[in-house]
Amino acid sequence: MASEEGVIKIKRNKQVILRDNVSGFPKESDMQVVNSGTIKLKLPEGCEGVLVKNFYLSCDPYMRRRMTKYDPGASYIDSFNPGSPISGYGVGKVLESGDPKFKEGDLVWGITGWEEYSLITGTATQSLFKIHNTHDVPLSYYTGILGMPGMTAYAGFYEVCSPKKGETVFVSAASGAVGQLVGQFAKLSGCYVVGSAGTKQKVDLLKNKFGFDEAFNYKDEPDLDAALKRYFPEGIDIYFDNVGGKMLDAVLLNMKMNGRIAACGMISQYNLEQPEGVHNLMSLIMKQVHLKGFLVFSYYHLYGKFLETVLPAIKEGKITYVEDVAEGLESAPAALIGLFAGRNVGKQVVVVSRE
Amino acid sequence: MASEEGVIKIKRNKQVILRDNVSGFPKESDMQVVNSGTIKLKLPEGCEGVLVKNFYLSCDPYMRRRMTKYDPGASYIDSFNPGSPISGYGVGKVLESGDPKFKEGDLVWGITGWEEYSLITGTATQSLFKIHNTHDVPLSYYTGILGMPGMTAYAGFYEVCSPKKGETVFVSAASGAVGQLVGQFAKLSGCYVVGSAGTKQKVDLLKNKFGFDEAFNYKDEPDLDAALKRYFPEGIDIYFDNVGGKMLDAVLLNMKMNGRIAACGMISQYNLEQPEGVHNLMSLIMKQVHLKGFLVFSYYHLYGKFLETVLPAIKEGKITYVEDVAEGLESAPAALIGLFAGRNVGKQVVVVSRE
């Protein structure tokens, strides 16, 4: 044993630790970047997991939920453990595998740790996807357009909203990882699409880069109902909701008969102690609207079909994608907090290492 | 012409008039029973409508909406005209028909006036149904279990909620015209069903007459969330919502993964100047719940199938039904107001005439 252990490299493993569970608006100081961690670059004896070197990490809105302490079973996803590294979607390379699905050198995306090296074990390996296409598109895209957020946009728009040509589509948080893709799917489906975002720069991006028909800055609109009536005089067939709260309430007043709302996220509510009340649910009845909550986890069986659609569209320039890239694990806490303040422009990614 | 008009009977036509549009909680005095009306018991020359003698009138929660003045197009249904008779579902006999679908002596149900005799013309005749079964079941049932409310329960439960054997079902306003039938459909489908109502008498009815597994008086429950957790320790698969507001908010905290909510009505909100806020919509996402508003008008193509299911079930005693019968048009305003105060026990019907 001693001689075997002798050849195992022990590496420094920089990590982003959650200091304590969070209530209200999270702060950078709720996290801590520690240089003190080490990891043996060798799978433990008999381990069926995967040892991964992390390249890119994904900052996603749903992670806010994991920062708060919930009773077991009270949330669809476990809370982070204070004192342990944060985890989330990422892209990396397999250094060693005890799982027959992966081998050394494979590039993978899935749930990993916010650290340089991660030992992924148990059920977490089931949500690891092997990356087959390793050229033509940046590897970091697998944290976004080709990963969970892309799959979310695809499932939410096509499966949950059942779009038809000529329908009117509204997307909130439209320049984010999911929203920018939903808008482009809507255009590819022959829909009229309007997006909302929180800065002029993002609004310009929506109109000039992603091809939305119209876009507006919700912070400039004292009356969201009036803004929506301006862009949708005939009403909204499909609302892809990433924000919830006041915007959802205003949208409810503007839905068309038999409209569909995909409830994907409610980022406007995540940092409130008490969620805001939504008052206009009677519109669901009057307009026979279907408001459908969904989780991407239920749609991963469509991942192959999704890639077949989106990869060629990216290569042919029919779909474009914007990332906001933060360099180094040290920048990760600020990048995640920035997401909740709307500071990111496009998909927020953290680079841990470029190879 | 003079001689032809000479044979036309002119009859007194007692009517229930809406005095003025209503905001807040309606009062009996918002309506007026007038004895001054008359009607010629003869169709106007060339009229393609139907002259009907009204037997039974239906008091339904949706009628509250028609009492308020909305801008044209702002509601799915027109507001009542102040000074004119209220209209609603009813059962009557055709005295004369200019519509080839009906002939003298036919019994019909559909939208009619709150008056002794109604001339039904235009699109309103399209929502008149001929009653073929005129024995075995009381004619008044076509205002309820065999009419619009029954069809609402059928479409909402089977088409909107897609029940499966063994699922857990919660029904609010469960002793009402729609709720009592939903509960019985749920039992026939092999579900566990709990109902809420607002008096001990109604709760007893749910458990002892309609066969609900459990029932509770929501007015006795200071914490609706706790009450639901008591009856649904594993959560709710299907919620048939007749009330909206606080009950909906509590239900959202108790839905199971992939649950369905049929938004049928929100009677708790109809008399408020401003609807209450619903705070727990994030549960829709976390549990992938589908919250589907629906209107019965979209499902009338299933009416034949519905009758084939429900008529035999009534005759065989597999489905039971309770009416709260008010005698005479004079009692109609109090009966309608009573509905919003929850005074009715079972389906509220007004008898205009028994033949």
Side-chain angles (χ1 to χ4, degrees):
Chain A
M1 284 290 287
S3 64
E4 193 179 306
E5 278 195 24
V7 301
I8 298 171
K9 281 198 223 164
I10 296 195
K11 276 274 200 179
R12 177 201 71 174
N13 193 21
K14 201 187 292 182
Q15 298 178 311
V16 181
I17 304 287
L18 183 73
R19 280 183 201 263
D20 206 351
N21 291 120
V22 172
S23 65
F25 202 95
K27 306 174 298 295
E28 278 184 53
S29 59
D30 293 324
M31 291 164 274
Q32 184 177 19
V33 183
V34 299
N35 283 297
S36 51
T38 58
I39 187 167
K40 288 183 193 173
L41 288 192
K42 177 90 191 117
L43 279 180
E45 189 93 14
C47 173
E48 295 175 352
V50 183
L51 189 67
V52 167
K53 180 175 187 190
N54 294 311
F55 293 160
Y56 301 100
L57 300 176
S58 178
C59 296
D60 294 297
Y62 81 91
M63 296 172 73
R64 171 63 189 85
R65 195 166 176 86
R66 302 193 66 187
M67 300 176 92
T68 296
K69 183 74 193 158
Y70 290 97
D71 294 331
S75 182
Y76 69 98
I77 197 162
D78 292 343
S79 302
F80 292 136
N81 286 322
S84 295
I86 282 177
S87 67
Y89 284 91
V91 170
K93 189 169 75 177
V94 174
L95 300 182
E96 194 184 354
S97 176
D99 182 323
K101 291 198 303 296
F102 304 101
K103 64 176 196 300
E104 189 185 328
D106 280 350
L107 293 166
V108 290
W109 74 268
I111 296 284
T112 188
W114 278 34
E115 56 195 348
E116 291 173 289
Y117 301 93
S118 294
L119 178 60
I120 301 171
T121 57
T123 55
T125 58
Q126 290 164 21
S127 66
L128 271 189
F129 291 86
K130 201 158 148 178
I131 298 174
H132 296 282
N133 181 289
T134 55
H135 47 276
D136 298 336
V137 291
L139 208 47
S140 61
Y141 277 24
Y142 286 88
T143 65
I145 189 169
L146 297 174
M148 181 278 285
M151 191 59 219
T152 301
Y154 181 80
F157 187 65
Y158 290 111
E159 299 292 315
V160 179
C161 296
S162 308
K164 289 188 280 291
K165 192 177 170 186
E167 288 193 318
T168 60
V169 177
F170 178 55
V171 189
S172 54
S175 71
V178 174
Q180 53 176 277
L181 195 50
V182 171
Q184 293 179 85
F185 285 149
K187 288 314 298 172
L188 291 174
S189 304
C191 298
Y192 166 85
V193 60
V194 178
S196 65
T199 68
K200 185 179 180 308
Q201 185 187 9
K202 293 178 186 180
V203 168
D204 289 345
L205 208 57
L206 291 175
K207 291 201 277 193
N208 302 323
K209 178 103 182 165
F210 299 130
F212 283 61
D213 293 289
E214 295 285 353
F216 65 90
N217 181 348
Y218 70 92
K219 292 177 182 165
D220 290 345
E221 300 290 347
D223 183 343
L224 293 173
D225 177 34
L228 291 169
K229 285 191 166 51
R230 207 163 65 228
Y231 293 108
F232 297 97
E234 307 289 321
I236 299 168
D237 288 302
I238 291 174
Y239 174 43
F240 196 103
D241 188 11
N242 291 309
V243 304
K246 290 184 180 64
M247 186 65 91
L248 173 58
D249 225 356
V251 167
L252 284 167
L253 296 174
N254 289 280
M255 291 302 289
K256 279 167 94 161
M257 194 54 95
N258 299 313
R260 287 83 69 203
I261 301 177
C264 176
M266 300 194 169
I267 198 171
S268 73
Q269 306 299 301
Y270 296 167
N271 301 307
L272 304 177
E273 294 282 343
Q274 174 73 15
E276 291 175 296
V278 170
H279 298 266
N280 299 318
L281 292 174
M282 189 59 203
S283 297
L284 296 177
I285 300 180
M286 293 190 295
K287 299 294 177 62
Q288 297 205 100
V289 171
H290 286 194
L291 167 51
K292 311 181 193 182
F294 76 102
L295 296 168
V296 67
F297 318 117
S298 300
Y299 295 91
Y300 277 140
H301 60 282
L302 300 175
Y303 184 64
K305 193 176 155 201
F306 158 74
L307 272 190
E308 282 171 27
T309 307
V310 175
L311 260 180
I314 295 174
K315 291 181 193 168
E316 292 162 22
K318 288 182 186 161
I319 285 182
T320 186
Y321 182 60
V322 171
E323 292 181 316
D324 192 328
V325 179
E327 291 290 334
L329 263 183
E330 293 77 5
S331 67
L336 183 58
I337 300 304
L339 190 73
F340 298 111
R343 278 199 290 272
N344 58 308
V345 178
K347 166 66 192 172
Q348 183 65 58
V349 182
V350 175
V351 184
V352 184
S353 160
R354 281 204 155 77
E355 58 119 32
Chain B
M1 283 292 283
S3 64
E4 193 180 305
E5 281 197 23
V7 302
I8 298 169
K9 279 197 227 166
I10 298 193
K11 276 275 201 178
R12 179 201 69 176
N13 193 20
K14 201 186 291 183
Q15 298 179 313
V16 181
I17 304 289
L18 183 73
R19 280 182 203 264
D20 206 351
N21 291 122
V22 172
S23 65
F25 202 96
K27 307 176 296 298
E28 279 185 51
S29 60
D30 292 324
M31 290 165 274
Q32 183 178 16
V33 183
V34 299
N35 282 298
S36 52
T38 57
I39 187 166
K40 286 183 195 170
L41 288 194
K42 176 94 191 119
L43 279 180
E45 190 94 12
C47 173
E48 295 176 350
V50 183
L51 188 67
V52 167
K53 180 176 186 188
N54 293 312
F55 292 161
Y56 300 99
L57 300 176
S58 176
C59 296
D60 293 299
Y62 81 91
M63 296 172 74
R64 172 63 191 83
R65 195 165 175 86
R66 303 193 67 187
M67 299 177 94
T68 296
K69 184 73 196 161
Y70 290 97
D71 294 331
S75 182
Y76 68 98
I77 196 163
D78 292 343
S79 302
F80 292 136
N81 287 321
S84 296
I86 283 176
S87 67
Y89 284 92
V91 170
K93 187 171 76 178
V94 174
L95 300 182
E96 194 184 354
S97 176
D99 183 323
K101 293 200 300 296
F102 304 101
K103 63 176 196 304
E104 190 186 326
D106 280 352
L107 293 166
V108 291
W109 73 269
I111 297 284
T112 188
W114 278 34
E115 56 196 347
E116 291 173 287
Y117 301 92
S118 293
L119 177 61
I120 302 172
T121 57
T123 56
T125 57
Q126 291 165 21
S127 66
L128 271 189
F129 290 86
K130 201 157 144 180
I131 298 174
H132 295 283
N133 182 289
T134 55
H135 45 274
D136 298 336
V137 291
L139 208 47
S140 59
Y141 277 23
Y142 286 87
T143 65
I145 189 169
L146 297 175
M148 181 279 285
M151 191 61 219
T152 301
Y154 181 80
F157 186 65
Y158 289 111
E159 299 292 315
V160 178
C161 296
S162 309
K164 289 189 280 291
K165 192 179 168 182
E167 287 192 318
T168 60
V169 177
F170 178 55
V171 189
S172 55
S175 72
V178 174
Q180 54 176 277
L181 194 50
V182 170
Q184 294 180 81
F185 285 150
K187 287 313 299 173
L188 290 174
S189 304
C191 298
Y192 166 85
V193 61
V194 178
S196 65
T199 67
K200 183 178 181 307
Q201 185 189 7
K202 292 178 186 180
V203 168
D204 290 343
L205 209 56
L206 292 175
K207 291 201 278 192
N208 302 324
K209 178 102 182 164
F210 300 129
F212 282 61
D213 293 290
E214 295 284 352
F216 65 90
N217 181 348
Y218 71 93
K219 292 178 182 166
D220 289 344
E221 300 290 345
D223 183 342
L224 293 173
D225 177 32
L228 291 169
K229 285 189 166 52
R230 208 164 63 227
Y231 293 108
F232 297 97
E234 307 290 320
I236 299 168
D237 289 301
I238 291 174
Y239 174 42
F240 196 103
D241 188 11
N242 291 309
V243 303
K246 290 184 179 65
M247 185 66 90
L248 173 58
D249 226 356
V251 166
L252 285 166
L253 297 174
N254 289 280
M255 290 302 290
K256 278 168 94 161
M257 194 56 97
N258 299 313
R260 287 85 68 203
I261 301 177
C264 176
M266 300 194 170
I267 198 170
S268 73
Q269 305 298 297
Y270 296 167
N271 301 307
L272 305 177
E273 294 282 342
Q274 175 72 18
E276 291 175 294
V278 171
H279 299 265
N280 299 319
L281 292 174
M282 189 60 201
S283 297
L284 296 177
I285 300 180
M286 293 190 296
K287 299 292 176 63
Q288 298 205 103
V289 172
H290 285 195
L291 169 50
K292 313 183 193 180
F294 76 103
L295 296 169
V296 66
F297 319 116
S298 300
Y299 295 91
Y300 277 142
H301 60 283
L302 300 175
Y303 184 64
K305 194 175 155 201
F306 157 73
L307 273 191
E308 282 170 27
T309 307
V310 175
L311 260 180
I314 295 174
K315 290 180 196 170
E316 293 162 22
K318 288 182 185 159
I319 287 182
T320 186
Y321 182 59
V322 171
E323 293 181 316
D324 192 327
V325 179
E327 290 290 335
L329 264 182
E330 293 76 7
S331 68
L336 184 57
I337 299 306
L339 190 73
F340 299 111
R343 277 198 293 270
N344 59 307
V345 178
K347 165 66 190 170
Q348 183 66 58
V349 182
V350 174
V351 184
V352 184
S353 161
R354 281 203 153 80
E355 55 121 33

